[in-house]
Amino acid sequence: MSSWRTLLLRIGNKCPEYGGSADVKEHIETCYGVVRRELEHSAGDISNFLIECAEGLPHKIPLLGTVIGLLNLENEDFVKGIVETTQTRFQEAIDSGNCDRIRVLMRFLTALMCSKVLQPASLAVVFETLLSSAATTVDEEKGNPSWQARGDFFVTCILSCLPWGGSELAEQVPEEMERVMVGVEAYLSIRSHNADTGLSFFEEDDDLSAGEKDFLEDLWDRIKFLSSNGWKADSVPRPHLAFEAQLVGGKAHEFGPINAPEQPEPLSQLSGVTYGREKHNAELRYPQRIRRLNIFPTGKSEDMQPVDRFIVEEYLLDVLSFLNGCRKECASNMVGLPVPFRYEYLMAETLFAQLLLLPQPPFRPLYYTLVIMDLCKALPGAFPAVVAGAVRALFEKIADLDMECRNRLILWFSHHLSNFQFIWPWEEWAYVLDLPKWAPQRVFVQEVLEREVRLSYWEKIKQSIENAPALEELLPPKGSPNFKYSVEDGREKTEYHAISAELSNKVKGRATAREVITWIEETVLSAHGFESTLSVIVQTLLDIGSKSFTHLITVLERYGQVITRLCPDLDNQILLIAEVSSYWENSTQMTALAIDRMMGYRLLSNLAIIKWVFSPPNIEQFHISDRPWEILGNAISKTYNRMSDLRKEVVSLKKNVLVAEEAAARAKAELDAAESKLTLMNGEPVMGDNPVKMKRLKSHADKAKEEEESVRDSLDAKEALLARATVENEELFLALYKNFSNVLKERLPDASKAQTLRDLKSTQADEMAVDTDQPSTMEVDDENGGAKKSQSNGESGSSNVYIIGEKEQWCLSTLGYIKSFSRQYASEVWSHIEKLDAEVLTQDVHPLFRRAVYSGLRRPINELASE
């Protein structure tokens, strides 16, 4: 890597390239000197690399902007090219809806304005163009308010630029700046409050957040406070001020006009299914931050101004986003942000907010696990304690945590501990054994231990809890199979043991699936009946495949036809799942894996898995174990992935058809041109080109036509598969929601007594609940920092009480998963919403069930009220 590239990448870092110096001014002068010398030879490369650095390292934009400002003094044409390239990339980002690039390039333009490279009026025009587009979008007459997410995104981008350039804009173009501020105020007055329905980290009724400010309103308050404070923000470096005397001599370039995206088609009505579906699509295109996760007391965040929290969050999110391919570089940059105060607590809150972000985090949860691990190693004296404090705080609120967030926290925590020798002060949580088995804190500890066993082995995890040996009660059973027909341990042999042994011998002798099927039908089935035959055959095959995952795959591939022959329909497949569950009753992991693989080989249907999950034995585990939910989630996920793959293949084939059509048309045109050409043969003019060439062109045209027809046939076949999969998908979600509705109908209290989750929590506990004369309550911080009462957590210490009854907790857990599945697969559910409304979400459905579905879909709450 050439030195100028290295210097640009490392600018602002205390590193060998800058002699170990941390002086930002010295960095800028050194970098500028080297880049200036290279301009004559590598101007194009330098221009592109500067913009790439700005896009990839946004927290260094003020430094890069200052370097460009100094270069502007030497070579105006070079810098003008940077401005023009930035404009082109910015317009492309707007046209394609590349949100990250839009946001970062707007900050880059602001930094260029501060360094006298860009005219302030030009930046103000960009702001006003986007403001006008946003205002039109939310206008009920001219726009489409269901696309408010786009308007909110544009206004958020404008406001997020002001900490970096508000001072300069207010000083140099005060009138334009005033128009921007007034425009933002006007936009906020006509947009709808963005309730966080379905996206809150903590379970609470949808109407509780109605009076709270949403993210954009909160950001506007922070910006107004910054404005009243003279635009002074400690967390924003202003390196251009050290070179101001030089920079004023440079030429400020114009930034050409930009075109806002076309407005979406207006809606005929501002409610209903069409509005909800459009709103969902808009939020997918323009994701936005809805809420912060306030884990720690506000005093832990040092003495920050209100806007400093937003700025540091922006830095952290930028680093996470743009350095996601290199986790160690990511952790290094997160530790070295250009701010003058400590921010470990804010860094932890931001990381956990991303890990638990709903509907899904920007990256796989594993990425955040690795970053947190690297930060613990980079800051061994500070960050591990902060992470531990975050875990304890979230554990205290675990009963109120969204069900999907709770599962992510379990997966993260178990994986995190596996990287630190499973060390944790479990004695602090030993009191959960005094709580009822359905208490969320107890279930959390139980599921973390179960996941740890998957990542290690049973004895190791038992050893890790030696400071709280009583917790061994919550460890899962040792994961050995439960083989009914084992001849070990001196069990009495039966005729079924003999059948099992004979099947094992056939498998060892490499008997074919057809031979095994013939033997079963002629010898076993007629003599012992279907259920006994299914049990011995399935259990034996599972036992043969129990040594490892590879063994299981081999057995299923080789003898899957045997299982298909025995279980061709739904009812028999349910019996098959029951046998798998029985064999692996001591291992949730292997049960889930075996069922998942069987579904992958089409030995099981998703409808059979749903029906089995909603069988009475599993229903009773809904609130005390993740076992049925993991199996159900895998089935839905696999179905969804199949649909996604088919859609991608259809899109790809459609592109291939267009390419094949163009190729065939070109070949035909070349052939026609050759056929119509006059040539001389034996001195006489004849139609057609040289015969050899004509033969070659005709062969090429025929081949191109055949290729086109082949691609069309492939497209027709994939579209047929997609059509069938769409029907199956609709059946899946109908079956899922019907089963949820039926089981809840039996257990939810009367609708007149429980309209909200708060009503449900306050319902008298049933006879299985723990009695308490004085129900315990605890103060917990809500997401925006305020305090609220929580009646759902047990208290550590002398009074270990959980006041929610078992039936109520079952309902709370099940409703939580309904919301989670609805949110996770919202795109699929919206595509079938009319049928769901007609067959499931009818007038007589319980309001809590309807509310859970609506909340997961972020379906406008006014629809619920109007029905």
Side-chain angles (χ1 to χ4, degrees), residues 63-79:
L63 307 179
L64 297 168
T66 305
V67 171
I68 295 171
L70 293 173
L71 292 172
N72 190 42
L73 300 172
E74 297 287 331
N75 193 329
E76 291 180 359
D77 290 339
F78 169 75
V79 173

Side-chain angles (χ1 to χ4, degrees), residues 45-296:
D45 290 343
I46 292 172
S47 174
N48 290 331
F49 197 72
L50 276 165
I51 298 173
E52 287 171 6
C53 284
E55 291 181 351
L57 300 167
H59 58 293
K60 297 187 178 185
I61 280 177
L63 307 179
L64 297 168
T66 305
V67 171
I68 295 171
L70 293 173
L71 292 172
N72 190 42
L73 300 172
E74 297 287 331
N75 193 329
E76 291 180 359
D77 290 339
F78 169 75
V79 173
K80 182 181 179 182
I82 290 179
V83 173
E84 289 173 349
T85 303
T86 303
Q87 179 183 350
T88 301
R89 293 171 82 121
F90 185 56
Q91 186 64 61
E92 289 173 353
I94 289 177
D95 294 340
S96 63
N98 188 330
C99 295
D100 277 337
R101 180 172 283 182
I102 293 170
R103 179 178 57 82
V104 170
L105 286 180
M106 285 181 69
R107 192 191 305 174
F108 184 48
L109 293 175
T110 306
L112 293 181
M113 181 272 300
C114 292
S115 298
K116 314 301 180 186
V117 171
L118 191 70
Q119 293 180 3
S122 294
L123 184 62
V125 169
V126 173
F127 289 171
E128 291 183 280
T129 301
L130 296 180
L131 261 176
S132 174
S133 173
T136 303
T137 299
V138 298
D139 186 279
E140 294 185 2
E141 296 181 1
K142 301 177 183 176
N144 184 340
S146 66
W147 278 74
Q148 180 178 303
R150 185 168 76 183
D152 282 1
F153 170 73
F154 286 156
V155 175
T156 301
C157 287
I158 294 168
L159 292 179
S160 68
C161 289
L162 297 183
W164 278 266
S167 176
E168 284 74 11
L169 287 170
E171 179 184 336
Q172 298 174 39
V173 284
E175 293 183 5
E176 288 87 341
M177 182 64 173
E178 181 63 24
R179 282 205 304 271
V180 170
M181 299 292 277
V182 170
V184 172
E185 189 89 62
Y187 174 80
L188 288 168
S189 70
I190 60 174
R191 72 185 278 274
S192 300
H193 173 80
N194 195 0
D196 63 346
T197 307
L199 299 182
S200 172
F201 295 108
F202 295 95
E203 291 282 6
E204 53 186 14
D205 299 328
D206 295 331
D207 55 334
L208 289 182
S209 62
E212 299 175 356
K213 292 184 177 180
D214 63 28
F215 186 86
L216 182 55
E217 293 162 349
D218 176 70
L219 176 58
W220 176 234
D221 283 349
R222 293 170 190 259
I223 294 299
K224 285 193 294 184
F225 180 86
L226 181 65
S227 173
S228 67
N229 196 34
W231 298 102
K232 294 176 183 177
D234 294 337
S235 51
V236 176
R238 304 176 67 76
H240 61 278
L241 295 180
F243 299 91
E244 193 166 23
Q246 298 164 252
L247 294 174
V248 292
K251 178 184 177 182
H253 303 275
E254 286 189 14
F255 191 79
I258 61 163
N259 299 314
E262 291 185 11
Q263 294 293 334
E265 289 293 323
L267 290 178
S268 57
Q269 57 181 13
L270 298 179
S271 63
V273 170
T274 305
Y275 178 90
R277 191 179 282 132
E278 289 256 325
K279 181 173 179 286
H280 172 72
N281 291 335
E283 289 173 349
L284 287 179
R285 287 279 305 275
Y286 296 92
Q288 51 201 308
R289 292 163 63 186
I290 301 294
R291 276 209 172 196
R292 292 182 169 88
L293 177 61
N294 292 326
I295 302 175
F296 303 106

Side-chain angles (χ1 to χ4, degrees), residues 701-760:
D702 290 344
K703 188 175 180 181
K705 189 65 179 175
E706 288 175 6
E707 181 67 24
E708 179 191 350
E709 290 174 356
S710 174
V711 176
R712 284 188 181 280
D713 290 343
S714 297
L715 176 61
D716 291 341
K718 286 294 181 186
E719 286 182 330
L721 284 174
L722 180 60
R724 190 173 71 186
T726 302
V727 173
E728 291 175 356
N729 208 35
E730 183 178 78
E731 291 175 353
L732 168 75
F733 282 103
L734 279 172
L736 178 67
Y737 284 108
K738 283 179 179 177
N739 276 288
F740 271 130
S741 178
N742 291 336
V743 296
L744 280 166
K745 191 182 296 182
E746 299 168 3
R747 290 166 173 78
L748 281 170
D750 188 82
S752 61
K753 298 178 181 177
Q755 290 280 330
T756 65
L757 291 180
R758 178 162 291 190
D759 295 338
L760 181 59

Side-chain angles (χ1 to χ4, degrees), residues 61-62 71 175 193 262 316 350 377 395 413 531 544 553 591 599 633 650 659 673 692 781 790 824 836 845 867:
I61 280 177
L71 292 172
E175 293 183 5
H193 173 80
E262 291 185 11
L316 293 168
T350 304
K377 293 176 180 177
F395 181 71
F413 188 48
E531 291 194 15
I544 294 169
I553 297 299
T591 303
M599 182 179 171
V650 167
V659 172
V692 176
D781 292 335
S790 171
Q824 192 173 357
L836 277 171
V845 77
E867 291 180 4

Side-chain angles (χ1 to χ4, degrees), residues 337-391:
L337 294 181
V339 296
F341 45 77
R342 297 184 62 175
Y343 53 91
E344 290 93 345
Y345 288 97
L346 181 52
M347 185 158 61
E349 286 185 337
T350 304
L351 280 164
F352 279 102
Q354 290 295 289
L355 174 68
L356 305 180
L357 186 68
L358 299 171
Q360 60 187 13
F363 304 100
R364 292 190 176 190
L366 175 62
Y367 172 51
Y368 303 103
T369 305
L370 296 174
V371 171
I372 291 172
M373 182 178 72
D374 288 335
L375 287 170
C376 287
K377 293 176 180 177
L379 299 170
F383 203 63
V386 173
V387 171
V391 172

